[in-house]
Amino acid sequence: MTKEIIISPSILSADFAKLGEEIQAIDEAGCDWIHVDVMDGHFVPNITIGPAVVKALRPHSDKIFDVHLMISPVDQYIDAFADAGADIISFHPEAGAHPHRTVQHIKSLGKKAGIVLNPATSLDCLEYLIDDIDLILVMSVNPGFGGQKFIHSQLDKIRAIRAMIDASGRDIRLEVDGGIDQSTAPLAIEAGADTLVAGTATFRGGPDHYAENIKGLRG
Ligand code: DX5
Ligand code: ZN
């Protein structure tokens, strides 16, 4: 089953002094989703934005807010991000004691749920979650910062997860995050990804370049 590629620009590489305008600009430039990286300085060595900022950004675009939580413990913040306007809420299984319960919680709020695998995290944890999740996000860098180099060993993981998803018959997006640019995007797609996060490669050159940058990622 061939799906259309979804491009989800990470606003981590946007101009934080003008986030509302930046979101409008990538929306008009033709992005599909908007990827919001939430970091707590504890689960990952960087601090970014919280639910109040997501809420403030919500009126600036009708596109899907793809919220990537890099926070631990994660459970106590799910409601706040759902209320703020997240459409998809993804979390790392290491960020809570009961990932299945976290998925149930996200779904009970009417949101889509995603599981994020770090480069060193095995795909084994997906076995008993696959019937309930809407998205699997493979990190192709260690989480925490934009502008890192794509880790090629993750391509085998993407291939294995693509086979799992196809065998499940469920409608699950397979997203890749980290070091995606015009040269690595085709590798991720060839391995089976259908959704690409890109920060540096989207925002490079400023607003006049966003449309061409996004188009370049679609191949
Ligand atoms: C890293 C974040 C990514 C990051 C991607 O922890 O999850 O979304 O912003 O940035 P680039 O595309 O620059 O690698
Ligand atoms: Zn991310």
Side-chain angles (χ1 to χ4, degrees), residues 5 8 11 58 65 85 92 107 111-112 119 122 135 160-161 164 174 186:
I5 301 300
S8 189
I11 60 168
R58 188 64 277 190
F65 273 21
H92 292 246
K107 305 282 288 184
K111 306 297 182 183
K112 301 224 183 241
S122 162
L135 178 143
I161 296 173
M164 275 177 93
L174 177 46

Side-chain angles (χ1 to χ4, degrees), residues 10 35-39 68 70 137 139 177 197:
S10 162
H35 186 83
V36 183
D37 285 307
V38 177
M39 307 186 188
H68 175 192
M70 287 160 273
L137 171 51
M139 292 303 302
D177 184 3
V197 177

Side-chain angles (χ1 to χ4, degrees), residues 9-219:
S10 162
I11 60 168
L12 191 59
S13 298
D15 181 344
F16 269 35
K18 311 182 189 164
L19 269 186
E21 287 169 44
E22 289 276 67
I23 280 181
Q24 281 171 22
I26 50 168
D27 180 325
E28 286 163 18
C31 75
D32 300 297
W33 296 356
I34 291 167
H35 186 83
V36 183
D37 285 307
V38 177
M39 307 186 188
D40 66 353
H42 163 75
F43 185 70
V44 290
N46 194 5
I47 301 178
T48 56
I49 67 180
V53 176
V54 174
K55 189 173 180 186
L57 294 175
R58 188 64 277 190
H60 291 269
S61 172
D62 290 331
K63 296 207 168 154
I64 285 177
F65 273 21
D66 167 32
V67 175
H68 175 192
L69 299 180
M70 287 160 273
I71 58 177
S72 167
V74 66
D75 290 305
Q76 64 218 59
Y77 297 102
I78 300 289
D79 288 66
F81 283 100
D83 290 346
D87 298 294
I88 303 168
I89 300 178
S90 300
F91 68 97
H92 292 246
E94 300 90 347
H98 306 285
H100 191 278
R101 177 177 288 150
T102 307
V103 169
Q104 286 179 313
H105 184 182
I106 295 168
K107 305 282 288 184
S108 77
L109 299 170
K111 306 297 182 183
K112 301 224 183 241
I115 294 289
V116 193
L117 302 182
N118 278 332
T121 303
S122 162
L123 47 74
D124 293 351
C125 66
L126 298 173
E127 185 176 359
Y128 295 102
L129 292 169
I130 199 145
D131 289 340
D132 298 285
I133 55 181
D134 303 292
L135 178 143
I136 298 166
L137 171 51
V138 173
M139 292 303 302
S140 40
V141 299
N142 285 293
F145 303 97
Q148 302 181 77
K149 222 169 150 309
F150 186 86
I151 300 172
H152 285 257
S153 62
Q154 300 308 299
L155 291 169
D156 281 346
K157 192 192 282 179
I158 295 166
R159 277 189 200 98
I161 296 173
R162 167 50 57 204
M164 275 177 93
I165 292 173
D166 289 351
S168 79
R170 295 195 64 248
D171 184 16
I172 299 173
R173 300 294 318 189
L174 177 46
E175 185 173 40
V176 181
D177 184 3
I180 293 289
D181 58 21
Q182 290 194 23
S183 62
T184 53
L187 303 177
I189 293 167
E190 187 276 326
D194 55 34
T195 305
L196 303 177
V197 177
T200 308
T202 299
F203 289 93
R204 185 174 285 134
D208 290 347
H209 296 268
Y210 295 167
E212 108 198 45
N213 290 347
I214 290 169
K215 198 159 165 268
L217 293 169
R218 293 190 197 280

